[in-house]
Amino acid sequence: MYKQLTEDFHQLYQTNEPVRVFFAPGRVNLIGEHTDYNGGHVFPCALTVGTYAIVRQRTDRQVRMYSKNFEDIGVIHFHLDDITYDKKHDWANYPKGVIRIMQQRNLNIEYGFDVLFFGNIPNGAGLSSSASIELATAVLANELGQLNVSMIELVKISQQAENEFIGVSCGIMDQFAIGMGQKDQAVLLNSDTLSYTYSPVKLQNEALIITNTNKRRGLADSKYNERRQQCEQALAELQTVVNITSLGDLTVEQFEQHKDAIKDDVRRKRAEHAVYENHRTQEAVTKLKQGDIAAFGKLMNDSHKSLRDLYEVTGKELDALVEAAWAVEGVIGSRMTGAGFGGCTITIVEKDKVEPFKAQVGKQYEDATGLKADFYEVEIGDGARELVLNHS
Ligand code: GLA
């Protein structure tokens, strides 16, 4: 993969100089949705698809960036001493944001660079292509500048770039999974304390399948910010009766005892999802460790129902895919994954039922929505890193 990209780099920037190659994966969340900004748990993993960055350091402070995924936009130029959000720079605002936040944290990026990006995460699928390019940038800037910043700090820098430079109030899950992911493991993260543990996802007889609705995630960002505000308000109401710092602090019993402090039905539903989903996630990881895949799958189904009925972030397409999956023999569990309003589902299905699953769900989905679904088998990969090249 990177040999071709290196040739592309040399041609684009008219040079033969050696390059360095970095990679940051995409992510998929197995369970624990819309809990990360509520102080709860998430259980994502890094994928083997992601963003490649081919880079050469410069001797001045200019930066040039190009993405093979957005060829029409062409090469984007800027100077390290003048980094501002620019609508025309489109995708490049993500890497620009990361560099800007590094500078704000007094990390001295002395020299500029030329970079060519290429991502093989399916477009707009909600598998975190934006967090992927953020981490690819953070890691390359850290390595080129010999800044010695730890991965967890690069994760926080990337999240801050998305919150402050891009203006999406996302939690830390995506950047964390992409920075800290490990091959064949999912990571249980407590988003309040940032403590985490890895769990092997070794399915013997089952496959993990991502299904893409191919529905553009229209109003997702504004709805996302709205959900976040509703939860913050519900928390403030609960804090008048119970001493907590986040919804993630509540047990299910405490929530049931105090929920009447939330004065609005919609906000109560949002908080109910956040509290129950947090507990469901921890229980699911326990079941997985015990090898009880059936129980894990059932909790995935419950997660989807809660996201559909209480959090209201699924929509017709995600529901059509998941409900079709539930009806297929051999499906152990299926749910939407990521922010919702389009994007992908994640399903555990018995290995010998994968083909009938694809056929049945694909057909039913097309009949219901007029859209074609895409299916990808999940391979769990390592987090963001430099790729070591064979210099021949
Ligand atoms: C998006 C955000 C994450 C998380 C999920 C929902 O992917 O970037 O921080 O909140 O939605 O679980």
Side-chain angles (χ1 to χ4, degrees):
M1 166 79 74
Y2 54 74
K3 291 226 168 72
Q4 177 61 47
L5 294 176
T6 303
E7 275 174 35
D8 294 343
F9 179 98
H10 284 145
Q11 206 180 359
L12 175 72
Y13 294 116
Q14 294 288 305
T15 173
N16 279 317
E17 285 180 35
V19 292
R20 292 172 74 172
V21 180
F22 298 85
F23 174 78
R27 71 91 188 90
V28 67
N29 188 20
L30 301 183
I31 192 163
E33 218 65 83
H34 288 280
T35 48
D36 62 347
Y37 52 85
N38 284 312
H41 289 75
V42 293
F43 192 51
C45 48
L47 299 170
T48 52
V49 289
T51 310
Y52 292 81
I54 319 295
V55 197
R56 178 190 60 161
Q57 194 163 35
R58 299 173 60 100
T59 50
D60 59 15
R61 291 179 61 75
Q62 297 289 333
V63 178
R64 292 188 290 177
M65 292 185 164
Y66 178 82
S67 167
K68 280 194 63 145
N69 298 78
F70 298 91
E71 293 187 323
D72 311 353
I73 295 176
V75 177
I76 285 163
H77 302 248
F78 59 95
H79 193 278
L80 282 178
D81 297 321
D82 180 25
I83 302 185
T84 50
Y85 186 93
D86 183 342
K87 201 157 187 270
K88 290 192 302 299
H89 285 177
D90 196 84
W91 65 269
N93 285 303
Y94 292 94
K96 282 175 77 178
V98 170
I99 298 167
R100 184 70 200 116
I101 299 294
M102 290 177 104
Q103 291 174 333
Q104 282 173 8
R105 292 183 175 217
N106 293 323
L107 295 167
N108 180 23
I109 302 173
E110 203 174 343
Y111 299 113
F113 41 84
D114 294 332
V115 50
L116 176 140
F117 289 106
F118 171 69
N120 58 0
I121 302 174
N123 256 347
L127 301 174
S128 287
S129 56
S130 58
S132 176
I133 199 171
E134 285 160 9
L135 259 307
T137 308
V139 172
L140 79 84
N142 187 38
E143 292 298 328
L144 292 184
Q146 299 182 331
L147 304 176
N148 292 318
V149 181
S150 66
M151 186 58 86
I152 190 71
E153 284 306 310
L154 298 177
V155 163
K156 290 183 193 167
I157 287 166
S158 300
Q159 185 203 11
Q160 194 183 343
E162 180 115 10
N163 291 166
E164 293 173 12
F165 201 83
I166 304 295
V168 177
S169 328
C170 65
I172 200 163
M173 171 172 75
D174 303 349
Q175 289 80 8
F176 189 94
I178 288 168
M180 306 291 287
Q182 287 194 357
K183 189 171 162 44
D184 295 331
Q185 317 252 7
V187 52
L188 177 68
L189 168 69
N190 176 333
S191 60
D192 188 31
T193 60
L194 294 191
S195 64
Y196 58 95
T197 49
Y198 294 98
S199 279
V201 180
K202 290 182 299 231
L203 302 180
Q204 304 294 322
N205 307 313
E206 300 85 11
L208 261 180
I209 308 280
I210 292 174
T211 311
N212 190 349
T213 58
N214 286 314
K215 151 106 193 317
R216 283 188 62 81
R217 291 184 43 221
L219 289 170
D221 291 349
S222 62
K223 295 270 186 212
Y224 185 92
N225 289 346
E226 181 190 277
R227 292 296 180 282
R228 215 183 149 141
Q229 278 162 12
Q230 289 166 334
C231 287
E232 278 163 15
Q233 234 183 310
L235 172 64
E237 289 169 290
L238 286 164
Q239 283 171 329
T240 62
V241 293
V242 55
N243 185 15
I244 50 170
T245 54
S246 73
L247 295 176
D249 288 341
L250 288 175
T251 62
V252 163
E253 294 72 27
Q254 282 171 319
F255 176 75
E256 290 301 332
Q257 189 188 338
H258 297 298
K259 67 181 181 191
D260 291 341
I262 307 171
K263 293 298 170 215
D264 168 85
D265 286 350
V266 172
R267 288 198 296 275
R268 202 175 311 110
K269 286 201 291 185
R270 306 298 189 242
E272 182 179 335
H273 167 78
V275 171
Y276 278 76
E277 179 78 354
N278 180 33
H279 292 283
R280 207 165 13 241
T281 304
Q282 295 168 78
E283 194 188 336
V285 176
T286 305
K287 296 295 179 196
L288 185 69
K289 283 187 181 145
Q290 294 166 352
D292 191 346
I293 306 293
F296 188 89
K298 162 135 194 341
L299 291 161
M300 288 173 75
N301 297 347
D302 292 345
S303 166
H304 185 85
K305 288 176 197 154
S306 179
L307 290 156
R308 181 189 65 191
D309 303 335
L310 299 176
Y311 221 66
E312 298 177 283
V313 291
T314 56
K316 175 171 136 197
E317 293 78 11
L318 286 166
D319 287 337
L321 272 186
V322 166
E323 285 159 23
W326 287 342
V328 176
E329 198 200 322
V331 167
I332 317 281
S334 186
R335 59 182 289 276
M336 60 152 268
T337 180
F341 307 106
C344 290
T345 68
I346 176 91
T347 303
I348 302 181
V349 55
E350 288 168 12
K351 275 193 181 132
D352 57 352
K353 299 286 176 11
V354 169
E355 289 313 314
F357 160 79
K358 289 184 188 169
Q360 207 172 312
V361 170
K363 171 157 194 329
Q364 229 172 297
Y365 180 66
E366 197 173 347
D367 290 348
T369 63
L371 294 169
K372 272 201 174 9
D374 284 319
F375 299 88
Y376 330 101
E377 184 139 0
V378 173
E379 284 178 51
I380 304 180
D382 282 318
R385 63 201 183 270
E386 180 163 14
L387 299 181
V388 180
L389 306 184
N390 304 321
H391 292 287
S392 49

